[in-house]
Amino acid sequence: MAEPSIRPNEAALRELLDGPWAHVRQKARDHLRGELFAPVAGLDVEQHRDRVMEQLAAIAATEIPGYGFSSAYGGSDDVGASVVAFEMLVCDLSLMVKVGVQWGLFGGAIQALGTEEHHARYLPRVISLRLPGCFAMTETGHGSDVQRLRTTARYDPRTEEFVVHTPDDDARKDYIGNAARDGMAAVVFAQLITGDTNHGVHALLVPVRDADGHPLPGVRIEDCGLKAGLNGVDNGRLWFDHVRVPRTALLNRYGDVAPDGSYTSPIDNPDRRFFTMLGTLVRGRISVAGGAGTAAKAALAIAIRYADARRQFERPDGGEVALLDYRAHQRRLLPALARSYALHFAQEELVRTLDDKSRESFSDQDQRKLESRAAGIKAVSTWHATQTIQTCREACGGAGYLAQNRLPQLKADTDVFTTFEGDNTVLLQLVAKGLLTHYRDSFGALDPKEMARFVAGQFLGVVIERTAARPLIERLVDATRRRGESDIRDRGWQLDLLEDREKHVVEGLARRLRRTGSGTAAFEAFNDAQDHVLKAGRAHVDRVVLEAFVAAIDRCADPETKEVLDRLCDLYVLSVVEEDRAWFLEHGRLTAPRAKAVTEAVNSLCAELRPHAVTLASAFGLPDEWLAAPIALGAEEARQEEQRVGG
Amino acid sequence: MAEPSIRPNEAALRELLDGPWAHVRQKARDHLRGELFAPVAGLDVEQHRDRVMEQLAAIAATEIPGYGFSSAYGGSDDVGASVVAFEMLVCDLSLMVKVGVQWGLFGGAIQALGTEEHHARYLPRVISLRLPGCFAMTETGHGSDVQRLRTTARYDPRTEEFVVHTPDDDARKDYIGNAARDGMAAVVFAQLITGDTNHGVHALLVPVRDADGHPLPGVRIEDCGLKAGLNGVDNGRLWFDHVRVPRTALLNRYGDVAPDGSYTSPIDNPDRRFFTMLGTLVRGRISVAGGAGTAAKAALAIAIRYADARRQFERPDGGEVALLDYRAHQRRLLPALARSYALHFAQEELVRTLDDKSRESFSDQDQRKLESRAAGIKAVSTWHATQTIQTCREACGGAGYLAQNRLPQLKADTDVFTTFEGDNTVLLQLVAKGLLTHYRDSFGALDPKEMARFVAGQFLGVVIERTAARPLIERLVDATRRRGESDIRDRGWQLDLLEDREKHVVEGLARRLRRTGSGTAAFEAFNDAQDHVLKAGRAHVDRVVLEAFVAAIDRCADPETKEVLDRLCDLYVLSVVEEDRAWFLEHGRLTAPRAKAVTEAVNSLCAELRPHAVTLASAFGLPDEWLAAPIALGAEEARQEEQRVGG
């Protein structure tokens, strides 16, 4: 490994990565340490749940739970901080998820879907953890298709109560965090029925346990049992047998029932109402994307440090080769590192938008855009985490398989991130749908029937959704076009390439869907195009992520650091292009020699960035205490030293 | 889903898949059932180890352990049966691995590296499990680079003993199965030293525990602790502090030390000797490939049955869509199913070669070919298992994350298969090296130094290694060439395409490596080409696997079954081509329209095979008792029925 001519400044990197909520990150680093928050392996389920509950209680005593809530109830009105604090909880992902369930999903739903009375009554107890709760949306039969869930809440005007009921096992609430052991109440999503009218899915606050922790009458609770990971979270199943709750249990911001049973809503269209309600819960997806991102960073920090220290096979000039000096090893880890940076900045942009104080007055279109972006980043980030942690495990060999080195737990815990808060395959379709302008301003369910209806509509042409960095991007692209520049590392060319791909894929999709009939034929047409739909979603996210990376580099003040980040961004975008270079070749966007040049550039960039890899991974700022893996914390170096001295 | 016009016959499929060791598979299905062999989840480490040891003892009472051993010691001289029996142990992969450690690695090493006296003395006790043992090769510091391991066995002529010694923690034996709890002895690989001469790595039989299970004097044993999976196997670390064993402890088939300390060997060249010794252990890699294959099949059987039953989102014509009717879902599962079939047949071919009774008289070249093929199939099969089980988990959503549905355990247990018995990245390089004809007949370590030496050599042109099916393949390719046929489903064209890719990649690699200098420059050249090296290995394996699939179809007597298998083989090869179509485009092997046609063909084949998916997965013949996952065994159908009747 040659001595690099430039060096990134770790402090400058850290500052850029920490971003606007640096103080929240630093607080987490300072406070979440010591015995209570040290990663541990090998606990049985009950011990693990106990430990996580203990950690949760300790966090309840800090300002963290309040970040996302109104100051009127002890919060600090800082939604961005709540998301950032969540993503820092990598010392145990069970804790991360439990925090998310209690204060993000359960508390968040009360805040977003309830009104003043609910807030005053519940939020202080939610924040303080005196009221642990569940977010009871998913049913066994309907996970992805929330609009069709089958729990009912039927209004009884005689007693002014709702009767919450689970008709059968298909409609039981499933995988519900906090349900199996700790939850006292649940926000239950159910079909709201008054008289003979079904008003669609609404949420109600339903108590599920008494003060002694026993299920209340009519409530049946079952433990989901052992899972691949996240066993510190008590996921469970809930059944309601004609459980009566007062009329005011309805979280009535988007739909209310008067004592006489008459239904009112500020939103007439039931689809629009449903998706507006769901849209208020967008924070959950954004949080999961952030949490997956941190897990991937932790795995990379472990694997990169180990690869820098670990040696295997002799060099011709003596000594043994560090794993990270092998091209194959660089190719496994460094593009993943580049993507982690890229996704980090895209995530930050998403959190800024979520946190935008003007969001209350967002247009429907802006809100849809945020939801679509959240869906896309969540899908890509969680897949990235799954793949990256897997790669890191393999890159650490047998050592990576030992629980003490943390990779097994990171892998097992994050595995379900690709599924929860929306299955990734479903989410990418949601993104694609948002890109079809015809749909942009409409509300509609994401089922084949709805998608097929698109066939009858007019497609108005692709409008590239603007990211925050759009003026900068346009300047770069324009400059390149003027110069006729085509260097493979030219940023304008890269940006243009990804934008062009998105446009072409989405336009092609629109044309394709319009060619078809209706009914069964339309479903077949939609289904035939499903891989095209997923590709459109993916192409969009890749472009958005690149733009966020470009904008972040523009914010970096240190020139050498900026130069290294520029190379890292090259590596990100060129490895994205390399992965999909068949498409670029098939569509005449790259010639064969240029496609080969992309591969060569990825190789060169790996070699150029190799000397900075440890610094780049360390700049994520995950304390050694959280990484906890001996192989990342000097064990390998110590053994080599012992051998050197002994031999 | 339209009614298919043809139907595969499950019995015919089963017969073809079961192959020459059908009786061994059937015995496993009949005997490994009931409470003792039922998959269980949630055991703690000690309970799990107890259970596996109990299962092992039950298996010891059957004929299974003897399959691989000579009839002179109670075995049945049927190596193929031993590999096939191993791969059937999918009810608990910890059991599979423990069986492999005891009878494959430990017993296998005594058989392969020891001589008559060792066989007579130890094999009966190994087979009966009275002598549980370890295979102590890997060291903490040297996992992949076995030639450089640092444990020493120094001969002391005064006492006619070897002194086995661990110089430091770097040289401790690590990840050793059976070491932490059950092993009484170990085959220890160490640098054999007489006087001042190091004769390279040899194996010795070293007792490690006394009759009470306590470590013997000078032996230190540590538990590796909790792992990602396989926690029913007691992996441990071993240190030897000047432990003395008699001269006859040396497994002396390939190197012996006389009482006076003089060393003799039937193989003069130390490299050749080392690789010959390693070569006798090839069964381990073949077994791991088979075990990974079964785990992937189990995961597919679970995910495909669930996808066939599970419904989500409404159809335009009423009812809900089965997951397996979605193109995206088909694309996740069906190419993986096709690859599982392809790898199954390639594995069978490998086992037949291993089992070849004429193998004792194999030329060095044939033996190298077997080793290279074993390395390649092991790498590809274990990566296939890792990816497929991951995909199956995701395809089953939240249900796939529950331990009761088995996918978590299958994933966690097989994860290390890509690492043990040779890291996959290292193995694929071994395959590539074998393809460079210059190396074919030589023996050399797989380190950069050795690879770099190639630079100075002459490359004699690529010779496509023949598979058993070669005459059939040549007939198909020739017919295609004569006809000028270019239908994308034409088998001759497909075979030609993969053969041509392999040839081109290997030739290019050879040219590239010859262009360079020596010393450090040569290492850089080798390292620059490392992705090219891996690609060569991969291209070779893809071609060999395809040929095995083609040969298997030729053995199928039932016409409709044969037709379905032909489509499945199309799906295998075209999804391989699709994945790498960038290469085919870059090298002028496919035009853009034809590359797009490959993608379309993969889509069509998924749709054509979808009606047969459940049958194809069931034909693997893994009993419901082994799958054990409720989602694969009617739970989903039962809930839908409850809903239908209730609603």
Side-chain angles (χ1 to χ4, degrees), chain B residues 498-536:
Chain B
L498 291 204
E499 181 170 322
D500 171 62
R501 178 180 62 159
E502 177 182 344
K503 208 155 178 271
H504 188 87
V505 172
V506 176
E507 278 175 352
L509 176 63
R511 272 197 307 277
R512 187 168 169 181
L513 289 177
R514 279 177 59 203
R515 273 201 300 270
T516 53
S518 62
T520 306
F523 168 69
E524 299 303 337
F526 159 77
N527 198 28
D528 273 358
Q530 202 181 15
D531 49 339
H532 198 156
V533 170
L534 295 172
K535 180 160 197 83

Side-chain angles (χ1 to χ4, degrees), chain B residues 21 36 152 256 352 361 399 423 509 564 571 578 584-585 610:
Chain B
W21 287 276
L36 181 58
T152 51
D256 201 4
R352 282 181 201 253
S361 58
D423 177 90
L509 176 63
V564 170
L571 180 57
E578 189 191 25
F584 292 102
L585 285 157
R610 185 265 175 265

Side-chain angles (χ1 to χ4, degrees), chain A residues 368-385:
Chain A
R368 290 295 82 70
K369 196 174 106 180
L370 171 66
E371 289 167 24
S372 168
R373 188 123 337 148
I377 301 282
K378 187 273 184 184
V380 172
S381 288
T382 54
W383 268 325
H384 168 68

Side-chain angles (χ1 to χ4, degrees), chain A residues 300-629:
Chain A
L300 282 167
I302 292 167
I304 286 174
R305 288 196 201 173
Y306 183 62
D308 188 58
R310 173 79 174 172
R311 285 156 204 287
Q312 204 77 179
F313 292 112
E314 218 180 329
R315 287 182 75 99
D317 50 355
E320 284 178 291
V321 186
L323 293 189
L324 199 50
D325 286 333
Y326 286 107
R327 166 154 297 166
H329 217 80
Q330 291 169 3
R331 274 202 155 260
R332 296 174 99 174
L333 297 179
L334 301 187
L337 178 68
R339 188 175 295 227
S340 272
Y341 265 76
L343 287 169
H344 176 97
F345 296 122
Q347 172 75 11
E348 183 187 308
E349 205 170 285
L350 197 56
V351 177
R352 282 180 201 254
T353 309
L354 175 74
D355 188 70
D356 189 336
K357 300 303 180 241
S358 65
R359 202 160 74 83
E360 283 298 313
S361 58
F362 264 21
S363 65
D364 276 352
Q365 187 177 324
D366 282 341
Q367 174 64 23
R368 290 295 82 70
K369 196 174 106 180
L370 171 66
E371 289 167 24
S372 168
R373 188 123 337 148
I377 301 282
K378 187 273 184 184
V380 172
S381 288
T382 54
W383 268 325
H384 168 68
T386 287
Q387 285 161 9
T388 299
I389 299 169
Q390 178 69 36
T391 299
C392 289
R393 198 304 286 159
E394 293 181 31
C396 293
Y401 198 62
L402 300 181
Q404 65 174 12
N405 288 321
R406 286 223 69 203
L407 296 167
Q409 193 72 49
L410 288 170
K411 176 69 185 70
D413 286 343
T414 54
D415 198 52
V416 77
F417 282 34
T418 57
T419 298
F420 68 21
E421 289 288 316
D423 177 271
N424 282 0
T425 303
V426 175
L427 292 184
L428 273 190
Q429 294 179 68
L430 202 65
V431 173
K433 211 180 75 167
L435 296 173
L436 301 169
T437 48
H438 173 63
Y439 266 97
R440 175 99 28 86
D441 305 314
S442 74
F443 289 75
L446 185 84
D447 61 20
K449 198 166 95 182
E450 272 296 323
M451 280 298 276
R453 264 188 222 145
F454 173 78
V455 172
Q458 254 327 319
F459 180 64
L460 307 169
V462 174
V463 178
I464 292 291
E465 296 264 11
R466 300 170 84 83
T467 66
R470 204 63 206 166
L472 167 65
I473 306 305
E474 276 166 10
R475 220 162 50 236
L476 288 164
V477 172
D478 288 349
T480 297
R481 284 183 183 157
R482 266 200 311 278
R483 283 199 308 278
E485 175 71 67
S486 71
D487 186 281
I488 227 159
R489 298 200 189 186
D490 180 77
R491 191 74 69 230
W493 176 75
Q494 296 163 350
L495 288 159
D496 205 18
L497 192 70
L498 291 204
E499 181 170 323
D500 171 63
R501 178 180 61 159
E502 177 182 344
K503 207 154 179 268
H504 187 88
V505 172
V506 176
E507 279 174 353
L509 177 63
R511 270 197 308 276
R512 187 168 170 180
L513 290 177
R514 279 178 57 205
R515 273 202 301 268
T516 54
S518 61
T520 305
F523 168 70
E524 298 304 335
F526 159 77
N527 199 28
D528 274 355
Q530 201 182 16
D531 50 340
H532 199 156
V533 170
L534 294 172
K535 180 159 197 83
R538 188 74 196 219
H540 172 71
V541 176
D542 285 344
R543 198 259 308 164
V544 164
V545 171
L546 173 61
E547 293 188 1
F549 201 163
V550 171
I553 296 175
D554 196 53
R555 294 195 297 272
C556 179
D558 181 71
E560 293 200 7
T561 303
K562 198 165 182 165
E563 202 177 321
V564 170
L565 284 172
D566 263 323
R567 295 294 76 78
L568 197 65
C569 186
D570 285 336
L571 181 57
Y572 164 67
V573 61
L574 293 178
S575 57
V576 164
V577 172
E578 190 191 23
E579 259 176 28
D580 199 28
R581 68 195 198 286
W583 187 91
F584 291 103
L585 284 157
E586 284 168 356
H587 294 82
R589 264 61 181 181
L590 290 180
T591 61
R594 194 150 174 95
K596 290 181 188 174
V598 168
T599 298
E600 279 162 31
V602 169
N603 284 338
S604 307
L605 285 162
C606 282
E608 289 168 39
L609 287 163
R610 185 266 175 264
H612 310 304
V614 171
T615 305
L616 286 165
S618 295
F620 291 136
L622 303 175
D624 286 356
E625 263 185 83
W626 295 354
L627 298 182

Side-chain angles (χ1 to χ4, degrees), chain B residues 21-56:
Chain B
W21 287 276
H23 57 290
V24 174
R25 296 183 196 276
Q26 199 49 48
K27 195 153 285 172
R29 288 179 193 123
D30 293 341
H31 289 12
L32 305 179
R33 55 202 322 165
E35 177 48 40
L36 181 58
F37 290 100
V40 287
L43 300 179
D44 69 28
V45 169
E46 278 313 303
Q47 291 167 334
H48 199 173
R49 288 177 178 179
D50 286 343
R51 181 173 172 85
V52 167
M53 200 57 191
E54 216 182 315
Q55 293 169 331
L56 202 69

